[in-house]
């Protein structure tokens, strides 16, 4: 086995695991003080639920030998059967004396962290109003019926000798998705949009958009996400190699550019750049570069980052125009950002960076790859949205998905968890700030200005 590659995969798995607590702080800072613990718990429980399901059957359904037309893996690896002691990758050859072999279990744990954070991402759309146990049951069902199959479509590659058959997007369509623009971000963003329709608007929205109770939490969470994302993207090279270095570089460049793009939109549209905008721009850039990280040049990454920062900053206000209450702008950042990144692969990818990729439109490849990217994005979006809508309504009509109006107004932390994050003494809720301070909403000044429209 290659010790360096193995060490990098294990370290990357730990980095991606850190992204879920980072996401919890990112989301937690944007909600009201009376629902921050519920938000943190909705993220944290994903670690528990998905971690158990992954061992029982999730890995097998995602990465087992294909059982039906590139749509789903088999049950050969239930309970992680056949993974202990197994190795993956290429063996040493005269041309490559070190080889590229690593323990299958390292890959299993790396991919587990992707499954966990994909579920957690959805939670931000339904903040402030969701029953904890309903969310927990939904998480288990959604991971099983939506994420595991889609991961098989996108991430499961067929072996060179034909002994293992993978998913249809990776092997038949041959769309490029380096680290999960489709399987993670479009998947979670489409599910978030569906759940917004199932649960409905928060009490008082859009007149009361909800004020972020702890902006430093938001910036801390975004910073942890950025840090962990190096494992997410560079780790997807599955080795300490040139491709990992490319992905590390493009991740940095695109994220930096997206921060600037988002802040420029705020300045020109609302007159002030905000801390929330900087944090949100970083996440938008991270989302958009994810599918492209190992396939584009640094200049291509710069373009993707700027485009994502600008378009996602504009997209977060669409909820006011169309009347859907996506609490923390999961749709505007993850669905839109995922679509941007996935489609721009068809423009900016180049085989001069990665011979396993393809040449996009700007590198003489024509529109073929862009078409493949569009099909992959559309298929994941449609499947996730429709199935999530069905799952959400089933939970709604059985055990109930939304907290009562009384619990929502008084605070879901006390009502559902018998806890509160802070002791304000004589101060009221909403972060204990004066009522004279106007709410700015989830992502920057956009929420306040658009809610007035």
């Amino acid at each position: 086995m290659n010790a360096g590659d193995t060490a990098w995969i294990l370290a990357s798995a730990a980095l991606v695991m850190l992204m879920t607590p980072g996401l919890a702080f990112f989301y937690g800072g944007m909600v009201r003080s009376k629902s921050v613990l519920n938000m943190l718990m909705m993220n944290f429980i994903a670690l528990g639920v998905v971690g158990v399901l992954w061992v029982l059957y999730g890995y097998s359904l995602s990465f087992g030998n294909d059982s039906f037309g590139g749509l789903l893996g088999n049950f050969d690896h239930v309970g992680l059967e056949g993974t202990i002691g197994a190795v993956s990758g290429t063996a040493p050859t005269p041309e490559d004396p070190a080889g590229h072999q690593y323990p299958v279990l390292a890959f299993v744990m790396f991919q587990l962290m992707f499954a966990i954070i994909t579920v957690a991402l959805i939670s931000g759309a339904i903040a402030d109003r969701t029953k904890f146990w309903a969310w927990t049951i939904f998480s288990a069902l959604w991971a099983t019926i939506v994420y595991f199959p889609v991961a098989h479509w996108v991430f499961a590659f067929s072996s060179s000798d034909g002994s293992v058959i993978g998913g249809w997007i990776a092997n038949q369509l041959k769309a490029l998705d380096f680290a999960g623009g489709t399987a993670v971000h479009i998947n979670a963003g489409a599910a978030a949009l569906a759940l917004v329709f199932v649960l409905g608007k928060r009490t008082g929205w859009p007149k009361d958009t909800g004020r972020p109770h702890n902006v430093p939490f938001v910036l801390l969470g975004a910073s942890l996400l950025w840090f962990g994302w190096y494992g997410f993207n560079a780790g997807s090279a599955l080795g300490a190699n040139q491709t990992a270095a490319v992905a590390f570089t493009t991740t940095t460049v695109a994220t930096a550019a997206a921060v600037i793009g988002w802040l420029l939109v705020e300045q020109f549209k609302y007159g002030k750049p905000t801390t929330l905008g900087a944090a949100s721009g970083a996440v938008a850039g991270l989302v958009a570069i994810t599918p492209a990280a190992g396939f584009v040049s640094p200049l291509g990454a710069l373009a993707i980052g700027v485009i994502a920062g600008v378009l996602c900053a504009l997209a977060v206000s669409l909820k006011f125009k169309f009347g859907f209450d996506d609490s923390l702008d999961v749709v505007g950042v993850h669905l839109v950002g995922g679509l941007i990144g996935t489609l721009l692969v068809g423009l900016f990818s180049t085989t001069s960076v990665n011979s396993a990729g393809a040449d996009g439109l700007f590198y003489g490849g024509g529109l073929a790859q862009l078409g493949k990217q569009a099909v992959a994005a559309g298929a994941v979006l449609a499947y996730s949205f429709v199935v999530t809508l069905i799952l959400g309504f089933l939970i709604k009509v059985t055990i109930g998905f939304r907290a009562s109006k009384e619990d929502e107004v008084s605070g879901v932390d006390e009502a559902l968890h018998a806890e509160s994050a802070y002791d304000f003494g004589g101060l009221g809720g909403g972060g204990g700030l004066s009522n004279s301070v106007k709410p700015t909403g989830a992502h920057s000044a956009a929420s306040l200005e658009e809610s007035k429209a």
Side-chain angles (χ1 to χ4, degrees), residues 244-333:
V246 168
F248 196 108
T249 302
T250 55
T251 298
T252 304
V253 170
T255 308
V259 171
I260 296 171
W262 189 297
L263 292 180
L264 287 175
V265 169
E266 286 191 335
Q267 182 64 47
F268 285 113
K269 195 172 182 181
Y270 307 111
K272 293 181 177 66
T274 68
T275 308
L276 284 169
S280 303
V283 175
L286 291 164
V287 169
I289 197 59
T290 292
F295 300 121
V296 301
S297 69
L299 287 179
L302 187 70
I304 290 171
V306 170
I307 293 168
V310 170
L311 294 185
C312 288
L314 296 172
V316 296
S317 64
L318 293 177
K319 63 185 182 183
F320 297 105
K321 297 184 185 300
F322 294 105
F324 61 91
D325 184 12
D326 172 16
S327 302
L328 307 183
D329 299 316
V330 180
V331 176
V333 174

Side-chain angles (χ1 to χ4, degrees), residues 105-348:
L105 274 180
F107 178 77
V108 171
M109 289 296 98
F110 179 65
Q111 287 294 338
L112 165 61
M113 304 312 169
F114 280 66
I116 289 169
I117 196 166
T118 306
V119 172
L121 285 171
I122 304 168
S123 64
I126 52 175
D128 294 321
R129 61 196 187 278
T130 306
K131 290 182 178 179
F132 175 73
W133 286 117
W135 163 255
T136 303
I137 293 170
F138 168 82
S139 298
L141 294 173
W142 190 86
T144 300
I145 302 173
V146 180
Y147 182 80
F148 298 156
V150 172
H152 182 74
W153 301 357
V154 176
F155 292 144
F157 288 89
S158 301
S159 62
S160 57
D161 61 6
S163 60
V164 176
I165 305 300
W168 72 276
I169 287 179
N171 301 284
Q172 298 170 30
L173 180 63
K174 296 187 183 300
L176 300 177
D177 188 346
F178 191 75
T182 52
V184 177
H185 298 293
I186 293 176
N187 201 5
L193 181 61
L195 285 192
V196 164
F197 292 130
V198 172
L199 271 75
K201 305 171 185 177
R202 286 169 291 177
T203 302
W205 190 89
K207 184 177 181 180
D208 178 11
T209 59
R211 181 169 65 251
H213 90 282
N214 193 325
V215 176
F217 266 20
V218 179
L219 196 58
L220 171 64
S223 301
L224 289 173
L225 284 168
W226 192 338
F227 178 66
W229 224 289
Y230 290 117
F232 201 86
N233 285 357
S236 292
L238 297 178
N241 53 32
Q242 180 68 28
T243 303
V246 168
F248 196 108
T249 302
T250 55
T251 298
T252 304
V253 170
T255 308
V259 171
I260 296 171
W262 189 297
L263 292 180
L264 287 175
V265 169
E266 286 191 335
Q267 182 64 47
F268 285 113
K269 195 172 182 181
Y270 307 111
K272 293 181 177 66
T274 68
T275 308
L276 284 169
S280 303
V283 175
L286 291 164
V287 169
I289 197 59
T290 292
F295 300 121
V296 301
S297 69
L299 287 179
L302 187 70
I304 290 171
V306 170
I307 293 168
V310 170
L311 294 185
C312 288
L314 296 172
V316 296
S317 64
L318 293 177
K319 63 185 182 183
F320 297 105
K321 297 184 185 300
F322 294 105
F324 61 91
D325 184 12
D326 172 16
S327 302
L328 307 183
D329 299 316
V330 180
V331 176
V333 174
H334 292 277
L335 179 56
V336 173
L339 287 169
I340 290 169
T342 298
L343 294 175
L344 290 182
V345 170
L347 303 182
F348 292 103

